[in-house]
């Protein structure tokens, strides 16, 4: 079979040719195809039996170009191969956090999965001020399990090297290197700025050699520290939620990289949500902004506890330790705590870069863009940029997330 583009005309015939999908529908006589327009990179469809809405699948296909740009912006379909490999790995270690995968094809660059029609995009739920009691619990589990089991702490040396060699995703990594770590810091033509945002605050980032040095350190780490198999784009638009469940989606940026990158992407986006709520002095907004800070705190400490537990359990079951014999009885504990402290520092650096790129770069977030009052938006953007800069420059000094949360609160109160 050769690659061809799925569309409204041929999608149902294609689905009927797949035994795995035949099981999902009692009949193919009255199916409705709805194209999802939101995505920038890929084509996506929801196919539903109009006689029974519970019979539904989600279809995602990568074309050999960036969908929103058209064929004049070519991009290899390797991103879907990376996504398929990531989904298979994530499902093997944390199946409760992934939508059920019905079918996948690297030849057609397509994946067919559970339609999460009863869930909302996390970013939208946060904008609307919805409390999600399972969020920190579920996402900390996903992060701990996917990062630990693909690291050298769980894999043999040979298996880890094979994982790294099989997880290249060059095109998508290049996009991140450019649009997260480079363009926002050099006044690139691709950047977009709020006209009400002061040039002084922009220059304080783009023209400060110390800031640029620290960003370069994070970029170098991103490119050269293959600690674990990452989701690669774990922001609040890559999570589907309701009151009972949390699902992680869209790992098309997956690659072997530093653990702190996934953590930082999520934490940074949660801080942007915090600033979008904390400016409002209503009781509802103040309570919700505090819930967001508590969620960030819970996310880190639950991740840390679960990661350490997985580490201990693995070494007990394997009857061997990463360090070898501990002749004093203290070495393992000291190493483990130092390891997680470094992951925290890395996470803060990456969170800072992600926050800055969402304000100075081309890819914005609805958390801030929802505000039509440009002066108000500029005020919130300035708070977020000041926090990101301090977090980036001082990331080696923070001992806990609570210290970082205080920084966020102080900037809002100033």
């Amino acid at each position: 079979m050769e690659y061809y583009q799925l569309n409204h005309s041929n999608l149902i015939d294609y689905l009927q040719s797949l035994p795995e999908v035949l099981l999902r529908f009692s009949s193919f006589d009255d199916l409705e195809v709805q194209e999802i327009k939101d995505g920038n990179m890929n084509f996506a469809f929801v196919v539903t039996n109009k006689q029974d809405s519970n019979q539904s699948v989600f279809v995602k296909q990568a074309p050999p170009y960036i969908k929103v740009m058209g064929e004049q912006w070519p991009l290899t379909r390797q991103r879907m191969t990376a996504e398929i490999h990531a989904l298979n790995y994530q499902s093997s270690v944390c199946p409760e956090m992934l939508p059920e995968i019905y079918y996948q094809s690297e030849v057609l660059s397509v994946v067919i999965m559970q339609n999460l029609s009863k869930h909302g995009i996390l970013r939208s739920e946060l904008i609307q001020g919805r409390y999600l009691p399972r969020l920190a619990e579920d996402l900390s589990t996903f992060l701990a399990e996917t990062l630990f089991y693909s690291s050298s702490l769980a894999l043999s040396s040979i298996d880890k090297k094979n994982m790294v060699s099989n997880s290249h995703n060059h095109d998508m990594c290049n996009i991140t290197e450019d649009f997260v770590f480079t363009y926002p810091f050099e006044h690139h033509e691709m950047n977009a700025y709020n006209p009400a945002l002061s040039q002084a605050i922009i220059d304080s980032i783009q023209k400060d050699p110390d800031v640029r040095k620290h960003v370069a350190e994070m970029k170098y780490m991103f490119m050269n520290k293959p600690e674990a198999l990452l989701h690669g784009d774990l922001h609040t638009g890559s999570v589907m939620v309701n009151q009972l469940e949390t699902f992680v989606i869209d790992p098309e940026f997956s690659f072997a990289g530093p653990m702190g990158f996934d953590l930082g992407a999520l934490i940074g986006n949660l801080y942007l949500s915090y600033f979008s709520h904390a400016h409002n002095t209503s009781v509802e907004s103040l309570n919700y902004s505090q819930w967001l800070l508590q969620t960030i705190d819970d996310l880190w400490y639950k991740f840390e506890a679960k990661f350490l537990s997985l580490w201990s359990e693995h070494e007990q079951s394997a009857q061997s330790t990463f360090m070898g014999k501990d002749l004093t009885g203290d070495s393992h504990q000291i190493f483990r705590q130092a390891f997680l402290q470094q992951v925290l520092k890395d996470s803060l650096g990456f969170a800072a870069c992600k926050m800055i790129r969402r304000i100075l770069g081309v890819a914005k977030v609805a958390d801030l863009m929802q505000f039509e009052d440009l002066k108000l938006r500029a005020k919130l953007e300035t708070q977020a940029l000041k926090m990101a800069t301090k977090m980036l420059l001082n990331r080696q000094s923070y001992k806990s997330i609570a210290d970082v949360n205080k920084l966020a609160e102080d900037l809002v109160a100033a």
Side-chain angles (χ1 to χ4, degrees):
M1 180 184 296
E2 295 183 354
Y3 176 87
Y4 65 93
Q5 180 61 55
L6 297 173
N7 54 46
H8 280 84
S9 300
N10 61 25
L11 182 53
I12 293 177
D13 287 340
Y14 173 66
L15 295 178
Q16 281 187 287
S17 72
L18 305 174
E20 298 89 344
V21 180
L22 286 173
L23 301 172
R24 302 296 158 187
F25 297 101
S26 59
S27 171
F28 280 75
D29 295 334
D30 201 13
L31 297 187
E32 178 181 50
V33 178
Q34 176 187 5
E35 184 173 356
I36 307 300
K37 302 288 188 178
D38 294 344
N40 293 328
M41 291 284 183
N42 306 306
F43 289 96
F45 306 88
V46 170
V47 182
T48 306
N49 185 347
K50 288 193 285 187
Q51 303 303 317
D52 184 354
S53 61
N54 291 319
Q55 297 181 15
S56 182
V57 299
F58 179 84
V59 182
K60 179 178 179 181
Q61 185 183 36
Y65 53 86
I66 299 175
K67 184 196 79 171
V68 73
M69 298 293 193
E71 296 183 21
Q72 66 271 25
W73 288 79
L75 185 68
T76 70
R77 293 183 286 113
Q78 170 64 25
R79 63 190 185 277
M80 183 55 76
T81 299
E83 177 162 349
I84 289 171
H85 290 178
L87 288 170
N88 288 337
Y89 165 68
Q90 292 165 359
S91 296
S92 72
V93 298
C94 194
E96 69 275 17
M97 295 287 296
L98 275 291
E100 185 178 355
I101 308 301
Y102 304 141
Y103 179 80
Q104 56 196 28
S105 169
E106 293 185 29
V107 174
L108 280 187
S109 296
V110 68
V111 61
I112 304 171
M113 66 184 79
Q114 176 186 359
N115 177 26
L116 301 175
S117 59
K118 298 179 181 179
H119 301 73
I121 297 171
L122 174 57
R123 189 184 308 283
S124 299
E125 299 295 295
L126 296 178
I127 289 172
Q128 295 176 55
R130 295 211 171 101
Y131 290 91
L132 301 161
R134 291 204 55 83
L135 188 63
E137 184 69 36
D138 288 343
L139 289 177
S140 62
T141 296
F142 175 84
L143 286 160
E145 294 185 351
T146 58
L147 296 180
F148 176 78
Y149 286 118
S150 59
S151 75
S152 295
L153 303 173
L155 298 175
S156 69
S157 178
I158 293 175
D159 288 342
K160 174 63 185 303
K161 289 177 173 60
N162 287 336
M163 184 276 288
V164 172
S165 67
N166 292 329
S167 63
H168 294 303
N169 197 1
H170 299 300
D171 285 344
M172 305 305 272
C173 285
N174 285 340
I175 289 174
T176 301
E177 290 156 20
D178 288 341
F179 286 90
V180 176
F181 298 109
T182 308
Y183 295 164
F185 302 93
E186 62 177 21
H187 193 58
H188 193 273
E189 61 183 7
M190 292 291 288
N191 293 344
Y193 309 109
N194 176 356
L197 187 64
S198 76
Q199 189 62 46
I201 190 69
I202 297 173
D203 289 347
S204 72
I205 292 171
Q206 293 181 342
K207 295 184 178 181
D208 186 323
D210 200 26
V211 172
R212 296 294 301 275
K213 181 203 76 157
H214 282 269
V215 173
E217 290 173 351
M218 301 315 300
K219 180 178 179 179
Y220 189 85
M221 189 187 304
F222 174 87
M223 297 172 69
N224 293 285
K225 194 176 182 182
E227 286 185 305
L229 184 62
L230 306 186
H231 177 283
D233 197 29
L234 190 57
H235 53 75
T236 52
S238 300
V239 180
M240 301 288 289
V241 294
N242 62 24
Q243 294 292 305
L244 302 176
E245 294 176 307
T246 308
F247 290 104
V248 177
I249 61 171
D250 292 344
E252 62 192 359
F253 280 80
S254 176
F255 77 111
M259 293 183 184
F261 188 71
D262 272 0
L263 282 152
L266 189 55
I267 289 170
N269 277 263
L270 289 172
Y271 277 127
L272 291 177
S273 180
Y274 167 77
F275 286 113
S276 77
H277 287 280
H279 74 96
N280 192 324
T281 57
S282 71
V283 174
E284 294 82 359
S285 294
L286 292 176
N287 287 342
Y288 194 73
S289 63
Q290 288 302 305
W291 176 81
L292 283 166
L293 292 183
Q294 186 62 54
T295 296
I296 294 169
D297 193 82
D298 289 345
L299 175 67
W300 170 258
Y301 284 111
K302 287 176 181 290
F303 161 77
E304 183 180 48
K306 292 172 184 179
F307 192 96
L308 288 171
S309 178
L310 291 171
W311 193 345
S312 177
E313 291 169 4
H314 174 78
E315 291 189 340
Q316 289 178 13
S317 63
Q319 295 185 334
S320 65
T321 60
F322 180 83
M323 289 185 68
K325 292 181 180 179
D326 184 356
L327 301 181
T328 66
D330 297 325
S331 302
H332 292 307
Q333 182 67 12
I334 291 173
F335 172 61
R336 289 172 183 171
Q337 291 298 329
F339 184 93
L340 268 298
Q341 272 293 305
Q342 188 58 52
V343 173
L344 174 61
K345 298 176 194 306
D346 294 348
S347 299
L348 297 179
F350 287 123
C353 293
K354 285 284 193 173
M355 292 169 70
I356 294 169
R357 69 79 57 117
R358 291 297 194 178
I359 298 170
L360 301 186
V362 66
K364 307 301 185 183
V365 288
D367 310 68
L368 299 177
M369 295 299 288
Q370 65 176 307
F371 299 105
E372 297 180 1
D373 182 339
L374 296 185
K375 290 184 178 180
L376 172 59
R377 189 194 306 169
K379 175 185 175 181
L380 307 184
E381 290 172 336
T382 299
Q383 291 172 347
L385 289 173
K386 287 182 176 180
M387 177 180 181
T389 303
K390 289 180 181 293
M391 193 162 55
L392 175 67
L393 299 181
N394 301 317
R395 66 187 184 279
Q396 298 295 342
S397 302
Y398 292 109
K399 301 299 183 184
S400 70
I401 280 287
D403 294 335
V404 188
N405 283 350
K406 186 177 185 305
L407 170 63
E409 290 181 297
D410 289 345
L411 284 165
V412 169

